[in-house]
Amino acid sequence: MLPNTKITLTKKETSLVDVLWNLYVLQTANVKKAFRQKIENDKVLDGSIDDITNTPHYQEAMADVAEGRVTTYNSLKDFYTEMGL
């Protein structure tokens, strides 16, 4: 994060893509690299997903379930109690 960085938008920047691009160019090289990797890993060729089970995110979630890295709680209060809140 860059402190004291002014972000200004012009009337020419009317799309969300323009706004996101301006935020992207303000980031450090490490953040840009991580962002590019995230985009590459999350590509959807035609804009739709026919079978969610073939996505990396689904497979990662199922691995979490298989390895027991999913926790359930009876209530939100139980969750907060375990988190120490």
Side-chain angles (χ1 to χ4, degrees), residues 52-65 69:
I52 194 169
T53 62
N54 291 327
T55 64
H57 298 298
Y58 179 87
Q59 292 167 358
E60 183 180 336
M62 291 301 102
D64 287 341
V65 171
R69 293 186 295 253

Side-chain angles (χ1 to χ4, degrees), residues 21-77:
W21 178 253
N22 283 328
L23 292 173
Y24 171 82
V25 296
L26 293 172
Q27 302 307 307
T28 64
N30 287 340
V31 172
K32 287 179 182 179
K33 181 180 177 183
F35 189 72
R36 284 192 305 270
Q37 288 174 343
K38 190 162 196 70
I39 288 174
E40 286 298 316
N41 291 337
D42 199 38
K43 277 188 179 174
V44 178
L45 297 178
D46 63 350
S48 66
I49 298 173
D50 292 331
D51 184 3
I52 194 169
T53 62
N54 291 327
T55 64
H57 298 298
Y58 179 87
Q59 292 167 358
E60 183 180 336
M62 291 301 102
D64 287 341
V65 171
E67 296 294 322
R69 293 186 295 253
V70 177
T71 306
T72 58
Y73 301 93
N74 292 325
S75 69
L76 189 55
K77 183 178 180 181

